[in-house]
């Protein structure tokens, strides 16, 4: 299901998590659980992966993660502010030491200021939140989602280093 490259990157992430005695949790929107799927593809992942939230709708971001409605209204779900709130709130409500949150536009559609391929990603640890905006372009829905998964694993690995 996942490429050997994805599996190897994830194993590398798990080595870094093991060295720090960290667990990871996710909040996914545009990827719909693909990051969690990749993390759990590795045997022994229960030592490093706690839980994941697929919060595709704005209401689920508010209900499950406590993202303030004002952020969703003022900035939209695909924004730095919402991705950062998602990552921080998952850290607050789980036993994870490291979290990742992604929210983006996989397509079709998009807006002039948020075209297809725009993805906001954030990681959170006790040291704070780090945000990255990705502009993958209109690669097609599946490829935007897979590019987001790969970028998320890279971002988690960098943060765990």
């Amino acid at each position: 299901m996942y490429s050997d490259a994805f599996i190897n990157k994830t194993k590398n992430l798990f080595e870094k998590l093991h060295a720090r005695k960290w667990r990871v949790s996710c909040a996914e929107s545009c990827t719909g659980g693909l990051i969690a799927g990749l993390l759990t593809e590795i045997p022994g992942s229960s030592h490093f992966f706690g839980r994941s939230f697929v919060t595709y709708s704005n209401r689920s971001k508010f209900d499950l993660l406590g993202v303030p409605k004002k952020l969703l209204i003022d900035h939209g779900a695909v924004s730095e502010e919402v991705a950062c709130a998602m990552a921080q709130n998952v850290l607050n409500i789980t036993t994870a030491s490291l979290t990742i949150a992604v929210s983006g536009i996989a397509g079709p559609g998009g807006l002039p200021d948020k075209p297809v391929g725009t993805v906001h990603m954030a990681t959170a640890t006790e040291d704070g939140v780090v945000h990255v905006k990705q502009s993958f372009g209109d690669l097609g829905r599946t490829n935007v989602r897979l590019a987001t998964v790969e970028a998320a694993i890279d971002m988690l690995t960098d943060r765990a280093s």
Side-chain angles (χ1 to χ4, degrees):
M1 181 165 164
Y2 294 95
S3 72
D4 289 343
F6 276 18
I7 297 295
N8 290 335
K9 282 185 177 209
T10 306
K11 287 179 179 177
N12 182 45
L13 167 63
F14 282 177
E15 289 172 11
K16 294 183 181 314
L17 293 171
H18 177 72
R20 297 193 92 166
K21 296 184 170 74
W22 278 7
R23 291 175 62 80
V24 66
S25 288
C26 310
E28 300 182 63
S29 187
C30 63
T31 51
L34 290 174
I35 298 168
L38 176 58
L39 293 173
T40 57
E41 189 72 18
I42 310 300
S45 60
S46 61
H47 296 291
F48 309 105
F49 179 69
R51 69 180 68 165
S52 180
F53 301 86
V54 176
T55 53
Y56 206 72
S57 69
N58 283 355
R59 181 168 182 170
S60 66
K61 289 172 182 65
F62 170 77
D63 288 348
L64 295 174
L65 301 179
V67 173
K69 285 183 182 178
K70 183 159 177 48
L71 284 184
L72 291 161
I73 292 167
D74 291 352
H75 303 283
V78 181
S79 65
E80 175 179 356
E81 293 81 1
V82 168
C84 290
M86 290 168 66
Q88 182 62 55
N89 291 355
V90 169
L91 188 71
N92 295 344
I93 63 175
T94 67
T95 60
S97 305
L98 173 63
T99 65
I100 183 87
V102 299
S103 188
I105 301 174
L111 302 167
D113 62 330
K114 296 178 185 178
V116 173
T118 301
V119 179
H120 287 271
M121 307 172 68
T123 57
T125 68
E126 66 180 12
D127 294 328
V129 178
V130 173
H131 167 264
V132 171
K133 178 182 177 184
Q134 300 283 355
S135 298
F136 296 116
D138 192 353
L139 307 172
R141 184 173 181 80
T142 299
N143 289 329
V144 168
R145 294 174 76 209
L146 290 174
T148 301
V149 171
E150 183 170 17
I153 296 299
D154 289 344
M155 192 172 182
L156 285 167
T157 302
D158 288 346
R159 196 76 196 268
S161 295

